[in-house]
Amino acid sequence: MRACSFLRTHARVVLNTLASLLTDRGGDVDPLVRASCADVDSVGADVDDLILFLYIQTYKKLVPRPHKDAASVADVWPSTSAFDGFLATLSPLQLVRSGRRSLPSQADEEAHQLSYVQKHLPNILALLAEPSEDGNSEMQVLSLERFEHLGLLLHVGESGKEGTSLSQAAPFFANSDPDMPAVPVPIHQVLEWLLEHICAASEHPFEKELGRENVSPTAGQWGTFSNGPTQEMKHLYPELAFVEGVNKASVVKQSSDIEATSIKVLNCHDSVIYILAPLSYATVNGCSDATIVLGAVGKAIRVEHCERVNVIVAAMQAYISNCRECIFFLGVNKRPIISGNNHNLQVAPYNTFYSDLEIHLTQVRVDPRTNMWDKPLALGMLDPHDSLSHPAGVSDGQAESASILHPDRFLNFAIPKWFEVESTHQQTKYNPFVLPKPYMAAQQQKNNSLENMKQCLRDSHLEDNKKQELATAIHSHFKEWLY
């Protein structure tokens, strides 16, 4: 019975992850994408999508490369943790920090992903192919329907457009009569066409930052897994934006500032980052000693290689890997997934709001009535896709899960009002995710204590010199708390 429950739990993880990756195919939406959390098991997954998803588990990310100017980053690199020297293995950021290595750029990742697809494309097509109906048993062909499943890996973008389905981009399926079934195409013809375009795309990397405005010009129309423009070419790639390299500063980005549907927050330290916009995907990587507030994320957020970071997010699902001493304030419709080498993680209910939050939640289909923040699922110690999570002496096993933040330590997070813009629609006035009773009671107790203190100060009738002493003491304690 326990084995069956284990298999069901992990099968649901696969289905939920697959649902977060699937996109529209020529206007058709996969039923798994629209399925509610309760219906995922009964809806199930398309076998071809599942096969491709399982195959690409062989993909491994790039290892961080040596920094070009190690001295220039020494003064902004995060300080060592109190746990350094006591743990047998290096922490997530220490692994990157050793040798002054920097995380791969989007251009590097894109090239690496294209290279992976290029190398494995014959096998991938073979998994989707079927025998020809003309009696030639050796001839393998690909139907239009199965060809569209490659959208899980490849994306085609055209100038000024959000994207085109693969079948409409391919000359052998373009402009097919919707009332007539398209003729299957020999697999070698499909392979030839795809390799030609992948080779062309690999010559055009790209990169863009929102946190800093230093960019590199580039071009190209093909990408894998994700896409992202430069400032000069942003009309070509509306999907991906960056906040990168912020140190000891605050960054505020609202929906009017971000044309992208996905964002990456990379290498930000001692900072506060506000991304108050509806998104499909979000990634937080290599950050430390920061608070990161993300608006509604409709597909998934992934947080990895972070230390001492508070992440506040409302999302469909959260993936946490190779982090330590972080607190996650979550409003999530599906169980948070924890993998890799983690230490001292805590989860808590969602604790903030901003004026457009409920509208953004509706846009990305995140339901505030369902919050599974307190049901994290820990998978393996080693992330199979991440070379950084394979330090010497660490074997795969049950990953360290996250503990529940005690209600007495829970605080609401107030987003400054001056960040908000005037709006004609109904605004969010409170946190739409209902707090559990212990957290609600703890908040009420804090509010009562504050009101009692205010009343005591009002009733104290102190002399002017005593009032000055009291004000000085309050300011002193406030500065100590703020520090």
Side-chain angles (χ1 to χ4, degrees), residues 153-170:
L153 305 177
L154 295 167
H155 169 87
V156 183
E158 291 185 3
S159 178
K161 295 184 180 181
E162 291 289 326
T164 305
S165 69
L166 277 175
S167 60
Q168 287 301 308

PDB file of all heavy atoms in Angstrom, residues 153-170:
ATOM      1  N   LEU A 153       9.840  21.064 -27.012  1.00  0.00           N
ATOM      2  CA  LEU A 153      11.278  21.346 -27.034  1.00  0.00           C
ATOM      3  C   LEU A 153      11.635  22.586 -27.829  1.00  0.00           C
ATOM      4  O   LEU A 153      12.594  23.281 -27.495  1.00  0.00           O
ATOM      5  CB  LEU A 153      12.036  20.156 -27.652  1.00  0.00           C
ATOM      6  CG  LEU A 153      11.815  18.778 -27.044  1.00  0.00           C
ATOM      7  CD1 LEU A 153      12.590  17.746 -27.849  1.00  0.00           C
ATOM      8  CD2 LEU A 153      12.251  18.754 -25.597  1.00  0.00           C
ATOM      9  N   LEU A 154      10.911  22.832 -28.900  1.00  0.00           N
ATOM     10  CA  LEU A 154      11.304  23.882 -29.843  1.00  0.00           C
ATOM     11  C   LEU A 154      10.225  24.941 -29.961  1.00  0.00           C
ATOM     12  O   LEU A 154       9.035  24.649 -29.891  1.00  0.00           O
ATOM     13  CB  LEU A 154      11.565  23.276 -31.224  1.00  0.00           C
ATOM     14  CG  LEU A 154      12.741  22.307 -31.325  1.00  0.00           C
ATOM     15  CD1 LEU A 154      12.686  21.546 -32.635  1.00  0.00           C
ATOM     16  CD2 LEU A 154      14.047  23.047 -31.193  1.00  0.00           C
ATOM     17  N   HIS A 155      10.685  26.166 -30.164  1.00  0.00           N
ATOM     18  CA  HIS A 155       9.779  27.304 -30.325  1.00  0.00           C
ATOM     19  C   HIS A 155      10.212  28.076 -31.557  1.00  0.00           C
ATOM     20  O   HIS A 155      11.389  28.308 -31.783  1.00  0.00           O
ATOM     21  CB  HIS A 155       9.843  28.217 -29.101  1.00  0.00           C
ATOM     22  CG  HIS A 155       9.148  29.536 -29.306  1.00  0.00           C
ATOM     23  ND1 HIS A 155       7.805  29.707 -29.081  1.00  0.00           N
ATOM     24  CD2 HIS A 155       9.613  30.736 -29.723  1.00  0.00           C
ATOM     25  CE1 HIS A 155       7.474  30.968 -29.352  1.00  0.00           C
ATOM     26  NE2 HIS A 155       8.554  31.600 -29.743  1.00  0.00           N
ATOM     27  N   VAL A 156       9.235  28.485 -32.361  1.00  0.00           N
ATOM     28  CA  VAL A 156       9.515  29.291 -33.545  1.00  0.00           C
ATOM     29  C   VAL A 156       8.950  30.673 -33.328  1.00  0.00           C
ATOM     30  O   VAL A 156       7.785  30.824 -32.970  1.00  0.00           O
ATOM     31  CB  VAL A 156       8.887  28.672 -34.812  1.00  0.00           C
ATOM     32  CG1 VAL A 156       9.251  29.504 -36.038  1.00  0.00           C
ATOM     33  CG2 VAL A 156       9.358  27.244 -34.990  1.00  0.00           C
ATOM     34  N   GLY A 157       9.781  31.700 -33.512  1.00  0.00           N
ATOM     35  CA  GLY A 157       9.327  33.079 -33.358  1.00  0.00           C
ATOM     36  C   GLY A 157       9.480  33.829 -34.657  1.00  0.00           C
ATOM     37  O   GLY A 157      10.433  33.613 -35.406  1.00  0.00           O
ATOM     38  N   GLU A 158       8.532  34.721 -34.927  1.00  0.00           N
ATOM     39  CA  GLU A 158       8.614  35.572 -36.093  1.00  0.00           C
ATOM     40  C   GLU A 158       8.597  37.022 -35.645  1.00  0.00           C
ATOM     41  O   GLU A 158       8.047  37.362 -34.610  1.00  0.00           O
ATOM     42  CB  GLU A 158       7.435  35.326 -37.047  1.00  0.00           C
ATOM     43  CG  GLU A 158       7.491  33.950 -37.726  1.00  0.00           C
ATOM     44  CD  GLU A 158       6.389  33.796 -38.750  1.00  0.00           C
ATOM     45  OE1 GLU A 158       5.644  34.784 -38.956  1.00  0.00           O
ATOM     46  OE2 GLU A 158       6.273  32.718 -39.336  1.00  0.00           O
ATOM     47  N   SER A 159       9.200  37.868 -36.441  1.00  0.00           N
ATOM     48  CA  SER A 159       9.320  39.277 -36.092  1.00  0.00           C
ATOM     49  C   SER A 159       7.962  39.889 -35.774  1.00  0.00           C
ATOM     50  O   SER A 159       7.033  39.827 -36.566  1.00  0.00           O
ATOM     51  CB  SER A 159       9.961  40.037 -37.263  1.00  0.00           C
ATOM     52  OG  SER A 159      10.053  41.401 -36.972  1.00  0.00           O
ATOM     53  N   GLY A 160       7.892  40.453 -34.548  1.00  0.00           N
ATOM     54  CA  GLY A 160       6.690  41.145 -34.128  1.00  0.00           C
ATOM     55  C   GLY A 160       5.559  40.256 -33.700  1.00  0.00           C
ATOM     56  O   GLY A 160       4.479  40.739 -33.396  1.00  0.00           O
ATOM     57  N   LYS A 161       5.761  38.925 -33.657  1.00  0.00           N
ATOM     58  CA  LYS A 161       4.696  38.014 -33.280  1.00  0.00           C
ATOM     59  C   LYS A 161       5.070  37.238 -32.034  1.00  0.00           C
ATOM     60  O   LYS A 161       6.233  37.076 -31.714  1.00  0.00           O
ATOM     61  CB  LYS A 161       4.400  37.037 -34.431  1.00  0.00           C
ATOM     62  CG  LYS A 161       3.852  37.715 -35.682  1.00  0.00           C
ATOM     63  CD  LYS A 161       3.501  36.677 -36.730  1.00  0.00           C
ATOM     64  CE  LYS A 161       2.941  37.333 -37.985  1.00  0.00           C
ATOM     65  NZ  LYS A 161       2.581  36.328 -39.006  1.00  0.00           N
ATOM     66  N   GLU A 162       4.039  36.748 -31.346  1.00  0.00           N
ATOM     67  CA  GLU A 162       4.257  35.987 -30.121  1.00  0.00           C
ATOM     68  C   GLU A 162       4.872  34.623 -30.404  1.00  0.00           C
ATOM     69  O   GLU A 162       5.515  34.044 -29.571  1.00  0.00           O
ATOM     70  CB  GLU A 162       2.929  35.795 -29.383  1.00  0.00           C
ATOM     71  CG  GLU A 162       2.360  37.064 -28.793  1.00  0.00           C
ATOM     72  CD  GLU A 162       3.164  37.548 -27.614  1.00  0.00           C
ATOM     73  OE1 GLU A 162       3.687  36.720 -26.863  1.00  0.00           O
ATOM     74  OE2 GLU A 162       3.278  38.762 -27.453  1.00  0.00           O
ATOM     75  N   GLY A 163       4.683  34.103 -31.596  1.00  0.00           N
ATOM     76  CA  GLY A 163       5.202  32.780 -31.917  1.00  0.00           C
ATOM     77  C   GLY A 163       4.282  32.072 -32.897  1.00  0.00           C
ATOM     78  O   GLY A 163       3.121  32.422 -33.058  1.00  0.00           O
ATOM     79  N   THR A 164       4.826  31.084 -33.576  1.00  0.00           N
ATOM     80  CA  THR A 164       4.093  30.344 -34.588  1.00  0.00           C
ATOM     81  C   THR A 164       4.171  28.867 -34.261  1.00  0.00           C
ATOM     82  O   THR A 164       5.191  28.387 -33.773  1.00  0.00           O
ATOM     83  CB  THR A 164       4.722  30.601 -35.982  1.00  0.00           C
ATOM     84  OG1 THR A 164       4.761  32.010 -36.217  1.00  0.00           O
ATOM     85  CG2 THR A 164       3.913  29.931 -37.073  1.00  0.00           C
ATOM     86  N   SER A 165       3.093  28.138 -34.550  1.00  0.00           N
ATOM     87  CA  SER A 165       3.146  26.700 -34.316  1.00  0.00           C
ATOM     88  C   SER A 165       4.157  26.071 -35.260  1.00  0.00           C
ATOM     89  O   SER A 165       4.400  26.556 -36.373  1.00  0.00           O
ATOM     90  CB  SER A 165       1.762  26.083 -34.526  1.00  0.00           C
ATOM     91  OG  SER A 165       1.409  26.125 -35.894  1.00  0.00           O
ATOM     92  N   LEU A 166       4.748  24.963 -34.832  1.00  0.00           N
ATOM     93  CA  LEU A 166       5.766  24.297 -35.638  1.00  0.00           C
ATOM     94  C   LEU A 166       5.215  23.879 -37.003  1.00  0.00           C
ATOM     95  O   LEU A 166       5.895  24.008 -38.022  1.00  0.00           O
ATOM     96  CB  LEU A 166       6.293  23.068 -34.893  1.00  0.00           C
ATOM     97  CG  LEU A 166       7.382  23.310 -33.852  1.00  0.00           C
ATOM     98  CD1 LEU A 166       7.694  22.015 -33.121  1.00  0.00           C
ATOM     99  CD2 LEU A 166       8.642  23.867 -34.493  1.00  0.00           C
ATOM    100  N   SER A 167       3.993  23.373 -37.017  1.00  0.00           N
ATOM    101  CA  SER A 167       3.439  22.880 -38.285  1.00  0.00           C
ATOM    102  C   SER A 167       3.257  24.004 -39.298  1.00  0.00           C
ATOM    103  O   SER A 167       3.435  23.796 -40.504  1.00  0.00           O
ATOM    104  CB  SER A 167       2.107  22.169 -38.031  1.00  0.00           C
ATOM    105  OG  SER A 167       1.173  23.057 -37.446  1.00  0.00           O
ATOM    106  N   GLN A 168       2.917  25.212 -38.816  1.00  0.00           N
ATOM    107  CA  GLN A 168       2.759  26.339 -39.735  1.00  0.00           C
ATOM    108  C   GLN A 168       4.105  26.864 -40.226  1.00  0.00           C
ATOM    109  O   GLN A 168       4.193  27.467 -41.293  1.00  0.00           O
ATOM    110  CB  GLN A 168       1.973  27.467 -39.059  1.00  0.00           C
ATOM    111  CG  GLN A 168       0.492  27.167 -38.894  1.00  0.00           C
ATOM    112  CD  GLN A 168      -0.200  26.897 -40.220  1.00  0.00           C
ATOM    113  OE1 GLN A 168      -0.102  27.673 -41.157  1.00  0.00           O
ATOM    114  NE2 GLN A 168      -0.890  25.767 -40.293  1.00  0.00           N
ATOM    115  N   ALA A 169       5.153  26.632 -39.455  1.00  0.00           N
ATOM    116  CA  ALA A 169       6.491  27.067 -39.870  1.00  0.00           C
ATOM    117  C   ALA A 169       7.131  26.083 -40.840  1.00  0.00           C
ATOM    118  O   ALA A 169       7.955  26.459 -41.662  1.00  0.00           O
ATOM    119  CB  ALA A 169       7.379  27.239 -38.642  1.00  0.00           C
ATOM    120  N   ALA A 170       6.749  24.817 -40.738  1.00  0.00           N
ATOM    121  CA  ALA A 170       7.347  23.778 -41.583  1.00  0.00           C
ATOM    122  C   ALA A 170       6.716  23.797 -42.968  1.00  0.00           C
ATOM    123  O   ALA A 170       5.485  23.772 -43.090  1.00  0.00           O
ATOM    124  CB  ALA A 170       7.161  22.412 -40.933  1.00  0.00           C
TER     125      ALA A 170
END
